[in-house]
Each structure stands twice: as C-alpha cells, then as structure tokens.
C-alpha cells in the first residue's frame, strides 16, 4: 500500500510540471504586454507620468524588474523554483503576495466546499438508495426525474433563485457576504443540491448493480432483515464507485466556486480569481489557477488512494 | 450449406443499426420526452425571428420592468426589452455554444484519441500525457484560462469550451479504440494491406461511434452550462446580446424590482440542458450492448 501511495505521488510530478508549464505560458500567450500593463494600468488606472507617456528607460527597468528580459526557459525555471517554495507571484493591483491572498481566503472556500460536499453526499446517497430499493416504482421514477433536473440546472441560477426566495422574499438568510453559519446556508445549497443529483444517480445505478449479486441473495436467504441486507451488504459495496465521483465533484466545486462566490459576493478563491480577471491582474490569475489545479491533482491522488484502500480488489501495484 | 449461407445474408440485410436504435429509443419514455422538448426548443429558436413578439434588443424605456402580462408574457427587463423574445433568441446562442464547442472538441478529440489508441508507442505517450495535464485542471477553470488568453466574447467562449472538452473526448475514444483494435476484422484489414489511415477511418472509427455519440450528446448539455456560467461572469457574450448567462447577470442587479429577469432565462437554460440530458441518457441505454434484450 505504501508503495502504491508513493508511486501515485511520483506519477503526479510530470503532470504537475505540465500544469505549471501551461500556467506559465498563459501569461506569455496573453494578447497584452505585461510590462505596458504594469506601467499604464496600475492601481489608479492612470499613466505613470503627467504626460501619460512612458519612456523607454522606464519600460526597460520594469521589464528587468519583472524578470521578463531573460530567456523563456530561465523564466520558467525561476517561476517553478519560486512556486515550489510557495511564492506564487504578486498582484499587479495590490502588490500583495498571491500566496498570502490565498491564505487569507482559503478558509471561506474550504467551508463552502465542505458544506456543499457534505450536503451533496447526504442528499445524494439517501435519494439514490430510496430509488434503488424501490426500483421500477413511481418513487424511483420521481427521484430520477428530479435528479435530471438537478444535473441540468445552472448552479449559479439556482443560487439567484435561492436569494430571490429566501433572502429577498422571506428574509431568512443574508443575500451576500460570508461569516457565520447563516451566510453559508444558501451558497452551500446552491452548490450542493445540483451536485447531489449526480451522486444520487450514481448511488442508484451502483446499488442496483450490487443488489443483483449472489452475496445479496445469500444475505436474504440467511433471513436477515431487508434493512440490514441493503445497509450492510449492499450499500457498503455500492458506495465504492461513489467515492470516485465525489473526488471528481471536488473539481466541479472548485470551478463552481468561481461562479457561486461571485453570485453571493462571498470572499474566497473563486471570488479573488474572478475579480483578478476583471481587473486584468494576470499574475494573481496565474497564481490562483496554478494553486487550484495543484489542489485538484492532490485531491484526486487522495481519492485514488482511498479507493484502493476501500476496495481490496483494486491494487494497482500488484503487491502489498 | 447453401441454404444456411443465404439465410445468414438475409438476416444481415434485414438488420439496420439505425432502425434498431430508433426502435430502442422509442421504448424509453425519458428519451422521447427529451427528444420532443428538444425538437420544440430547436423549432422555436430557429423560428425566433418569426415567432418572437418583439425585437430582442429594442430599448423601450417606458416599458422597463413590466411584470409578466398578456403583452409581455415573461415581462420586460431594465431597458424595456421583451424577455420572451430575448430568451427565444438566447436559445439560439445557447444551442450554438453547445454544438460548436462539441464539434471542435469532437474533431480534435476523436483524431487524437484514434491516433493514440491505434498507433500506440510514443504517439500514445505524448497524447496521453497531454490529456493527463489538461484533465488536471478543473474543467471550468481550464475554460476560463483559455478565454482569458483568447479574450472575452461569444466566439472565443465557444472555442474555449471546445478546447477544454478535447481531453475528455480523446480519453474515451482512445479507450474504445484500444479494445476495438484487437478484433479479427481489424487484424484482417491490416493483413490485407490497408494503410493505417484506412484502417483507422474505415474499420475502427465506425465501431467506436456508439460511446462517442453518447458522450457528445451529454457534452453538448455541459457545454451549454459552462457557456452560460462564463457569460454570467462577463467572459462570453457581451451586451446587448440576448444570451442566457448575460441576462441573468443583468437580472442580479435588479432582483429586488423584477424577479422575472433572474427567473425565466434560467428556466429556459435548464429545460434545454435537461432535454439534451434525457436524450443522451436514452441513447446510452439504447446503445449499451449489456442492456440489449
């Protein structure tokens, strides 16, 4: 097992190298000159000199300061070297380190991701099990119909409707901001409920598959109550593939946080990224993209490992 | 002996995969519902210039924020533009985003997937590593990154959603090709001296189409959602284009005054995506050989 874990992390190294190369190239592929952007579009949005012109000398100085005068592979090398040490660059706008912006805001995104993920698993597994054990009935059909609606719903629109009804209409929850449990409820529902539809569909199909297995027949033949059969023998095996989808969902949640945090004006990684895009603050965008992609890769490795740990049939390394 | 052979031939002539597929689809109520809704949506959006009661972009300040009524069934927005007309024209854009993005993703993804799966060796290694790297990004983040490079706008958005869907296509096609490659008919066509491109296009591709069709259908649905999300963030369609995500972000500012602006465009997107998802699920069930009776 430990060999498998080590191997899994080693395999991620080339992927992460590729990811950082793409993210590095992103800044160079932009149709704008970062030096000019830095000199003319900084903070106040005005030109640095009264005449509104920049001298060649200023341009060269800034270029040197940003390290853009060096050859591309040297630039990538130092980009990588700094990133490994946790230096993800500095904002053009606030001059703050991107890493510290992440540190200041990650807890908001983490609590949102945790809350919506828990919600999606709770609702998804319960509905999926109900649909599966009532297979072929109107209850099954009804749950599946609702879940198709769920996967088809733009989550940001669902968020807007929640604000409309529960904040503006009923006044139960604040329509914006973060801090406290009440501010977390609506965004967590907006992300968690559409995600739960995917979990419900997968739980159902996986449990239906498991229910056909011989050991389920054996369990019933032993005279166990149906509840015990489903919970102990069925669900335990049916939930293994669900673990994978939960890992993939995490990526969707990270992406979704871009939109949901914007809808709810809620601080977090997504909100910072979107604002950085609007402000043409490209180093911040670059640092955020690199951080989120790395996080996603690490989470997926952890999901793979837990998958191998949960399901003894899966052992990719042959030994252990 | 002769009789047996002619009977075999006859069976083959009677069997049409397309008719078989339609027959299976008709048996699935969900696929039928999805197909009918989708057909109605396509018809309404194609005929939008004729059926829309008003111009989708004409500003009539005096009519701003009219609530739903007989003259404006879905109300008007902050510029007095008719929401129903805007949503009908917006449906065209949503469907185009989905279809064009999937066409881009399909073209490149299928080509890369077939090449990697069939040729193996270093070609496979290079393509597979590239796919791994692209799949390491959360999908919406990758799309956003590409839009930033290309610049905001509806066409760039279609390209970006398309590019970020390439790795998914390539991976699915690669897997199917690898399992198809071992079939005797493929080996036979190689032995007969067919060129690699002939083997790939004439013998392998038609046999991996089933999973591709299902994936492409479901992908149109997610491309529409991704397009709407990015337009909501201002990275896609620009005002005054009547696009769903953009309408919703306009509506966000006027929620207190006009609930209908933030409600109906979302319902329209959801219905479109749902009909495609239902159809895609039906197609998957109809094409899945394990479910054949």
């Amino acid at each position: 097992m430990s060999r498998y874990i080590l191997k899994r992390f080693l395999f991620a190294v080339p992927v992460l190298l590729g990811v950082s190369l793409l993210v590095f190239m992103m800044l160079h592929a932009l149709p704008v000159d970062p030096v000019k952007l830095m000199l003319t579009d900084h903070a106040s949005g005005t030109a640095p000199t009264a005449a509104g012109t920049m001298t060649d000398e200023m341009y060269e100085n800034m270029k040197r300061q940003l390290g853009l005068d060096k050859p591309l592979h040297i630039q990538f090398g130092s980009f990588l070297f700094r990133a490994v040490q946790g230096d993800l660059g500095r904002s053009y706008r606030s001059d703050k380190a991107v890493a510290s912006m992440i540190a200041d805001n990650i807890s908001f995104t983490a609590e949102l991701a945790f809350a919506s993920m828990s919600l999606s698993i709770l609702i998804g597994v319960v509905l999926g099990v109900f649909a599966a054990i009532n297979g072929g009935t109107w209850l099954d059909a009804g749950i599946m119909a609702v879940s198709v609606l769920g996967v088809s719903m733009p989550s940001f629109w669902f968020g807007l409707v929640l604000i409309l009804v529960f904040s503006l209409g009923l006044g139960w929850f604040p329509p914006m901001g973060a801090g406290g449990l009440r501010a977390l409820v609506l965004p967590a529902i907006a992300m968690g409920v559409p995600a739960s539809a995917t979990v419900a569909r997968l739980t159902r199909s996986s449990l239906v598959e498991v229910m056909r297995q011989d050991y389920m027949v054996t369990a019933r033949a032993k005279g166990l109550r149906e509840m015990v059969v489903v919970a102990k023998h069925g669900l335990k095996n049916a939930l293994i593939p669900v673990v994978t989808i939960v890992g993939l969902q995490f990526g969707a949640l990270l992406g979704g946080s871009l939109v949901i945090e914007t809808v709810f004006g809620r601080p977090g990684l997504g909100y910072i990224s979107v604002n950085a895009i609007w402000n043409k603050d490209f180093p911040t965008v670059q640092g955020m993209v690199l951080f989120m992609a790395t996080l996603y890769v690490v989470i997926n490795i952890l999901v793979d490992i837990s998958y191998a740990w949960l399901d003894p049939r899966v052992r990719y390394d042959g030994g252990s | 002996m002769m009789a047996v052979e002619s009977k075999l031939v006859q069976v083959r002539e009677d069997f049409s995969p397309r008719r078989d597929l339609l027959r299976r689809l008709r048996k699935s109520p969900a696929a039928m519902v999805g197909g009918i809704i989708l057909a109605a949506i396509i018809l309404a959006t194609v005929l939008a210039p004729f059926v829309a009661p008003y111009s989708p972009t004409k500003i009539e300040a005096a009519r701003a924020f009219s609530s739903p009524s007989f003259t404006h069934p879905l109300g008007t927005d902050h510029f007095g533009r008719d929401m129903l007309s805007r949503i009908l024209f917006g449906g065209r854009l949503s469907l185009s985003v989905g279809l064009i993005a999937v066409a881009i993703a399909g073209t490149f993804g299928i080509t890369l997937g077939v090449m990697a799966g069939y040729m193996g060796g270093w070609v496979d290694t290079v393509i597979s590593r590239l796919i791994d790297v692209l799949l390491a990004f959360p999908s919406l983040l990758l799309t956003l990154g590409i839009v930033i490079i290309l610049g905001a706008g509806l066409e760039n958005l279609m390209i970006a959603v398309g590019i970020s869907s390439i790795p998914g296509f390539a991976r699915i096609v690669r897997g199917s090709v690898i399992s198809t490659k071992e079939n005797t008919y493929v080996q036979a066509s190689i032995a007969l001296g067919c060129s690699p491109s002939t083997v790939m296009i004439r013998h392998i591709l038609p046999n991996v189409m089933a999973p591709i069709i299902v994936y492409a259908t479901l992908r149109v649905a997610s491309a529409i959602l991704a397009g709407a999300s990015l337009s909501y963030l201002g990275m896609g369609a620009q005002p005054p284009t009547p696009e769903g995500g953009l309408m919703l972000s306009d509506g966000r500012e006027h929620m207190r005054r006009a609930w209908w602006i933030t409600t109906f465009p979302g319902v329209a997107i959801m219905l479109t995506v749902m009909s495609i998802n239902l159809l895609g699920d039906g197609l998957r069930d109809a094409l899945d050989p394990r479910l054949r009776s």
Side-chain angles (χ1 to χ4, degrees):
Chain A
M1 191 71 194
S2 56
R3 253 188 63 196
Y4 170 69
I5 295 175
L6 186 70
K7 221 167 159 182
R8 199 59 197 75
F9 272 99
L10 281 179
F11 276 135
V13 172
V15 171
L16 283 175
L17 266 175
V19 166
S20 42
L21 181 62
L22 275 191
V23 174
F24 169 75
M25 291 311 290
M26 189 182 135
L27 202 60
H28 291 269
L30 286 174
V32 290
D33 181 348
V35 184
K36 276 192 188 143
L37 195 75
M38 189 78 182
L39 281 172
T40 54
D41 205 23
H42 196 261
S44 59
T46 52
T49 57
T53 53
M54 68 178 102
T55 60
D56 285 350
E57 193 186 346
M58 281 170 68
Y59 185 89
E60 289 307 320
N61 274 336
M62 184 53 84
K63 196 169 175 179
R64 212 167 18 251
Q65 203 181 319
L66 293 172
L68 295 173
D69 55 336
K70 299 196 179 71
L72 223 49
H73 63 277
I74 305 272
Q75 284 185 48
F76 178 58
S78 69
F79 170 78
L80 209 58
F81 186 66
R82 277 178 283 135
V84 170
Q85 294 172 314
D87 176 2
L88 295 171
R90 266 175 192 286
S91 161
Y92 276 174
R93 297 278 161 179
S94 60
D95 204 40
K96 264 177 134 178
V98 177
S100 75
M101 289 163 74
I102 292 173
D104 291 344
N105 287 279
I106 194 168
S107 62
F108 295 109
T109 303
E111 69 178 24
L112 179 58
F114 181 75
S116 52
M117 199 105 137
S118 316
L119 203 62
S120 75
I121 296 171
L122 192 72
I123 300 175
V125 170
V126 168
L127 287 183
V129 169
F130 265 113
I133 57 178
N134 294 295
T137 65
W138 62 268
L139 193 63
D140 180 23
I143 291 175
M144 284 303 104
V146 172
S147 76
V148 173
L149 271 183
V151 290
S152 307
M153 196 162 55
S155 62
F156 66 97
W157 170 71
F158 187 46
L160 291 172
V161 172
L162 290 174
I163 295 177
L164 209 53
V165 176
F166 294 102
S167 302
L168 305 183
L170 298 167
W172 290 355
F173 302 103
M176 287 192 84
L181 210 56
R182 265 160 55 90
L184 182 63
V185 173
L186 291 185
I189 293 176
M191 286 223 293
V193 167
S196 73
T198 314
V199 177
R201 280 156 67 99
L202 194 80
T203 308
R204 177 187 174 273
S205 62
S206 167
L207 190 57
V208 165
E209 189 77 24
V210 166
M211 300 266 262
R212 290 199 198 120
Q213 303 294 320
D214 290 341
Y215 56 78
M216 294 296 285
V217 181
T218 313
R220 285 208 186 85
K222 282 196 295 190
L224 294 176
R225 276 182 303 131
E226 188 64 20
M227 263 287 283
V228 180
V229 175
V230 171
K232 275 198 75 176
H233 297 257
L235 207 51
K236 225 171 122 188
N237 290 299
L239 286 184
I240 294 171
V242 176
V243 172
T244 330
I245 201 80
V246 169
L248 289 174
Q249 292 275 31
F250 187 84
L253 291 181
L254 266 184
S257 74
L258 294 165
V259 199
I260 290 294
E261 287 176 354
T262 309
V263 166
F264 285 92
R266 196 188 142 83
L269 302 185
Y271 187 71
I272 301 179
S273 311
V274 171
N275 271 298
I277 294 167
W278 285 340
N279 289 328
K280 292 193 162 51
D281 183 0
F282 294 114
T284 306
V285 177
Q286 194 182 34
M288 297 303 296
V289 173
L290 184 61
F291 178 75
M292 286 203 240
T294 309
L295 190 63
Y296 186 45
V297 170
V298 171
I299 297 279
N300 269 318
I301 295 175
L302 296 179
V303 168
D304 274 0
I305 292 170
S306 66
Y307 198 79
W309 182 67
L310 279 172
D311 190 348
R313 286 169 300 181
V314 185
R315 281 285 185 272
Y316 302 98
D317 55 354
S320 105
Chain B
M1 197 61 201
M2 274 303 283
V4 172
E5 248 171 45
S6 68
K7 202 174 174 192
L8 273 177
V9 170
Q10 202 160 8
V11 169
R12 281 197 57 87
E13 272 173 359
D14 270 2
F15 182 80
S16 149
R18 200 165 297 158
R19 215 178 310 142
D20 184 52
L21 176 64
L22 279 176
R23 190 177 54 80
R24 285 168 195 285
L25 268 183
R26 265 201 295 272
K27 275 199 281 185
S28 151
M32 288 313 288
V33 172
I36 291 167
I37 298 177
L38 184 61
I41 291 173
I42 292 176
L43 197 68
T45 55
V46 168
L47 296 178
F50 307 105
V51 296
Y54 302 89
S55 148
T57 46
K58 189 157 178 263
I59 293 172
E60 266 193 77
R63 287 182 174 275
F65 298 117
S66 313
S67 54
S69 63
F70 278 113
T71 40
H72 295 283
L74 304 181
T76 64
D77 68 2
H78 53 300
F79 287 131
R81 296 174 295 197
D82 180 57
M83 287 304 290
L84 175 62
S85 308
R86 286 179 70 71
I87 288 171
L88 282 171
F89 278 92
R92 295 179 145 200
L93 299 179
S94 296
L95 287 171
S96 326
V97 170
L99 290 174
I100 293 174
V102 167
I104 294 172
T107 310
F108 290 97
I110 293 170
T111 311
L112 289 173
V114 172
M115 276 168 65
Y118 182 73
M119 295 165 102
W122 66 268
V123 178
D124 184 25
T125 310
V126 170
I127 294 175
S128 294
R129 291 297 83 78
L130 192 67
I131 295 173
D132 284 347
V133 169
L134 289 176
L135 286 176
F137 292 91
S139 156
L140 197 65
L141 194 66
L142 180 61
T143 317
L144 192 63
I146 301 169
V147 173
I148 295 170
I149 294 170
L150 298 174
L154 197 59
E155 279 152 38
N156 290 342
L157 177 70
M158 293 177 188
I159 298 172
V161 176
I163 296 177
S164 56
S165 311
I166 291 175
F169 265 97
R171 174 167 280 190
I172 283 200
V173 174
R174 176 180 173 274
S176 312
V177 169
I178 287 175
S179 59
T180 307
K181 197 165 69 166
E182 302 308 323
N183 284 320
T184 11
Y185 60 84
V186 176
Q187 301 300 328
S189 61
I190 298 171
L192 282 172
C194 291
S195 69
S197 60
T198 311
V199 178
M200 282 190 260
I201 295 167
R202 298 269 324 251
H203 298 281
I204 290 186
L205 198 54
N207 288 291
V208 297
M209 276 322 272
I212 296 177
I213 290 170
V214 173
Y215 187 73
T217 312
L218 295 172
R219 211 52 225 191
V220 171
S222 43
I224 292 176
L225 286 180
S229 304
L230 291 182
S231 282
Y232 179 84
L233 294 179
M235 305 305 293
Q238 301 297 316
T241 317
E243 195 278 339
L246 195 59
M247 281 184 246
L248 288 172
S249 84
D250 282 344
R252 172 79 172 94
E253 287 161 40
H254 306 290
M255 279 179 110
R256 279 173 206 278
R257 279 190 75 174
W259 57 270
W260 51 91
I261 308 178
T262 32
T263 308
F264 296 125
V267 174
I269 297 172
M270 183 169 73
L271 276 178
T272 313
V273 173
M274 186 192 70
S275 65
I276 299 170
N277 274 331
L278 285 174
L279 194 65
D281 285 349
L283 274 173
R284 184 180 48 208
D285 294 345
L287 287 167
D288 190 341
R290 283 177 304 169
L291 298 173
R292 290 223 164 139
S293 46

